[in-house]
Amino acid sequence: MADAAGKKATAAMSVRDLPDRGRVLCHGFIESVTYVPANQVASFIAILIDHDVPAPVSRFPGFGAKAGSGAGAASSLPANGVSAHRVRPGAQRQRPAGPKERLRVVWLGRRRIPGVDAGTELRLEGMVTIRDGLPTIFNPRYEILSRQEEQ
């Protein structure tokens, strides 16, 4: 399938090298999946990380820390608990500064995709765009790459 310019994505790229927009072919591991409740519009969301990035040590940093260690973080909010920062219109589409580490993959109209779970290696092809500060691909072509049995 070719894009408007007639070019086809040929070499799989890492998540770090993704452009802000355009057709891409990338490769990585599923870090997490999100299942939406039955009363919401059907969608299946997965977060993809680079194939060369090691798995995070802890999903909940600070879990098990002493009770007094988090007191400084709460003091940065005003007394009413609402931040005084204003969000500019269109800010959700801007990419934060720094390297990209994750890619959000959204399959609309699906509640689950068999074989796509945390730890699965995928090759994806689709149009990447920025949504809520994350590179996102909607309804990509995908290939589940085989995992060898434990050796």
Side-chain angles (χ1 to χ4, degrees), residues 2-132:
D3 62 0
K7 294 185 280 183
K8 186 173 178 146
T10 56
M13 60 178 54
S14 69
V15 174
R16 285 186 209 100
D17 298 331
L18 290 175
D20 287 345
R21 293 178 171 218
R23 180 162 298 281
V24 297
L25 177 65
C26 65
H27 173 243
F29 288 95
I30 298 293
E31 179 183 52
S32 64
V33 296
T34 303
Y35 301 100
V36 296
N39 62 354
Q40 292 184 3
V41 176
S43 66
F44 181 73
I45 302 167
I47 302 295
L48 189 83
I49 58 174
D50 277 331
H51 61 278
D52 59 349
V53 174
V57 174
S58 173
R59 294 191 66 180
F60 303 103
F63 181 74
K66 294 185 180 181
S69 64
S75 65
S76 64
L77 289 177
N80 63 1
V82 178
S83 175
H85 297 291
R86 300 264 175 172
V87 176
R88 296 175 307 172
Q92 68 193 20
R93 296 177 189 242
Q94 293 179 353
R95 175 174 301 183
K100 303 172 282 280
E101 295 179 1
R102 291 178 168 77
L103 170 68
R104 179 187 303 131
V105 184
V106 180
W107 284 274
L108 300 171
R110 305 281 303 260
R111 294 214 179 265
R112 185 166 181 350
I113 298 180
V116 177
D117 294 310
T120 302
E121 188 175 6
L122 287 180
R123 183 177 299 132
L124 301 168
E125 181 181 0
M127 296 294 288
V128 68
T129 186
I130 302 298
R131 293 286 186 247
D132 299 325

